[in-house]
Amino acid sequence: MTYREAFGAEFLGAEGFLNSPTYGLPPRFLADALDSCLRQWQTGTMEPVTFDEPVTAGRAAYATLAGVPVESVAMAGSASAALGLVAAAIPDGAAVATLAGEFTSTTFPFAAQAGRGVTVTELSQPDLLARAAEFDVVTVSLVQSADGAVLDADALRTSVAGAATLTVVDVTQAAGWKRLDLGWADVTVASVYKWLLAPRGTAWMSLSDRIARMMTPHAANWYAGTQPWQSIYGLPLRLADDARRFDTSPAWFGVLGSGLTLPWLASLDPVAVEAHTVGLATKLRTELGLPASDSAIVSIPVSGPATSATDRLRHAGIRASVRAGAVRVGFHLYNTDDDLDRLLDALAV
């Protein structure tokens, strides 16, 4: 394999890789940094305090990418763990709405509150947008994992305007390729290991003031302290005043990657990135006669078992996945027309 240059970075293994909705490829600068860090760990020369800098950088970059205030951003280990704190804070008997077929990390934390009388109702996107204000909470992905369907975020914002509805928006399948401006949402959350190109083990979550006031930092720990390295031992409880009070302690390699890839992604022209990724997906939809969409993810219906189709693609050098009985591909900034052509040739066989 050779490196492919994209937006000023180099990627190994990008040729034929259309599986970014499952996990993203690390740029060379991240892989080199991880190699160096692993050597330091192996030789006992790694200093945990050095991970504070990438935590700060990753937090600020997520705020930029999501369009939210940096002081509203908390660090978690996964999207579902982050949303578990939100779900635990909603009132007993709360009515929650979501999309039919939604990714379960976005819904299970709320469904698990059934013992408190919390109910979760699945709706189609038109029904959800029309009825959002009827519910106490709406929890949805901005881009669906199964097929790449994009939520009309402006319509959701309009629907809940003036209502008490809490809005929870998972941007795991959007952040990194799609322009975001979600300062109006009560909660945004994203895992970093997909389109944000970092190692698994870190997620970022933004919180509005009203939801943050409702929440309890159930996972309170030393790193959530006002001054983390001075809150390692002993009481009293002394947590940060902003969203950092909900931080988990950092997963070292995840935050190292997040502190490198997110600032790089945030430095790119978001219009150019979205045009590139969605442009390739649009070409594929046109060639296959699929409905138009402004998503970088394409769900390809196939005849026969979808797993057989992915095996055929793998033999052709295409890496994709199967979701909801169809072949799912995603175009990121390291993909090119060559990958599209190779995919079309394999599908034509």
Side-chain angles (χ1 to χ4, degrees):
M1 289 188 287
T2 58
Y3 284 99
R4 175 183 284 176
E5 192 277 335
F7 288 81
E10 293 181 310
F11 296 87
L12 185 66
E15 184 176 351
F17 185 84
L18 297 175
N19 207 18
S20 295
T22 301
Y23 66 92
L25 297 179
R28 186 174 187 174
F29 63 77
L30 168 54
D32 290 346
L34 283 172
D35 283 344
S36 176
C37 188
L38 288 170
R39 286 195 296 273
Q40 292 171 22
W41 179 27
Q42 186 178 31
T43 59
T45 57
M46 185 177 71
E47 296 291 343
V49 71
T50 62
F51 293 100
D52 288 354
E53 183 176 348
V55 168
T56 299
R59 190 189 312 272
Y62 178 76
T64 298
L65 288 166
V68 299
V70 66
E71 64 272 12
S72 75
V73 178
M75 177 176 60
S78 67
S80 59
L83 293 183
L85 294 177
V86 177
I90 65 175
D92 291 357
V96 180
T98 190
L99 289 168
E102 178 62 79
F103 190 67
T104 53
S105 289
T106 308
T107 56
F108 274 13
F110 296 91
Q113 305 298 314
R116 300 194 291 114
V118 173
T119 59
V120 182
T121 301
E122 292 183 301
L123 300 170
S124 67
Q125 182 167 159
D127 285 345
L128 179 76
L129 296 177
R131 298 179 54 197
E134 299 175 16
F135 292 85
D136 299 301
V137 181
V138 170
T139 181
V140 290
S141 292
L142 184 61
V143 176
Q144 287 295 302
S145 171
D147 59 7
V150 179
L151 177 74
D152 187 337
D154 290 338
L156 176 61
R157 182 180 186 180
T158 299
S159 181
V160 299
T165 306
L166 293 167
T167 50
V168 179
V169 184
D170 187 331
V171 296
T172 298
Q173 292 291 359
W177 68 263
K178 184 172 178 59
R179 290 170 289 169
L180 305 177
D181 184 13
L182 294 170
W184 57 270
D186 289 291
V187 180
T188 73
V189 66
S191 293
V192 303
Y193 68 96
K194 297 180 185 287
W195 303 88
L196 295 173
L197 311 179
R200 189 180 178 106
T202 299
W204 296 106
M205 173 174 66
S206 68
L207 301 167
S208 69
D209 288 341
R210 66 168 177 164
I211 186 61
R213 287 193 298 267
M214 296 168 61
M215 291 168 55
T216 299
H218 292 291
N221 65 93
W222 68 278
Y223 206 79
T226 305
Q227 297 179 322
W229 292 98
Q230 296 181 26
S231 55
I232 299 176
Y233 302 112
L235 293 172
L237 182 69
R238 47 200 187 276
L239 299 180
D241 293 330
D242 60 11
R244 282 203 311 105
R245 68 184 181 275
F246 301 108
D247 277 7
T248 59
S249 57
W252 290 335
F253 304 120
V255 299
L256 174 62
S258 174
L260 292 172
T261 59
L262 269 69
W264 173 65
L265 288 165
S267 75
L268 303 178
D269 179 355
V271 175
V273 171
E274 187 168 347
H276 175 78
T277 55
V278 176
L280 288 169
T282 297
K283 289 180 182 178
L284 175 60
R285 291 188 184 93
T286 300
E287 289 289 337
L288 298 180
L290 298 175
S293 172
D294 57 354
S295 179
I297 299 174
V298 183
S299 180
I300 306 171
V302 293
S303 58
T307 51
S308 298
T310 55
D311 288 342
R312 186 169 72 248
L313 294 178
R314 190 177 299 111
H315 288 310
I318 295 291
R319 280 150 290 166
S321 58
V322 174
R323 294 293 185 274
V327 173
R328 185 188 68 181
V329 299
F331 294 92
H332 209 350
L333 42 73
Y334 38 65
N335 293 119
T336 68
D337 283 319
D338 288 341
D339 301 321
L340 173 60
D341 293 339
R342 178 181 291 195
L343 173 62
L344 289 169
D345 288 344
L347 291 171
V349 174

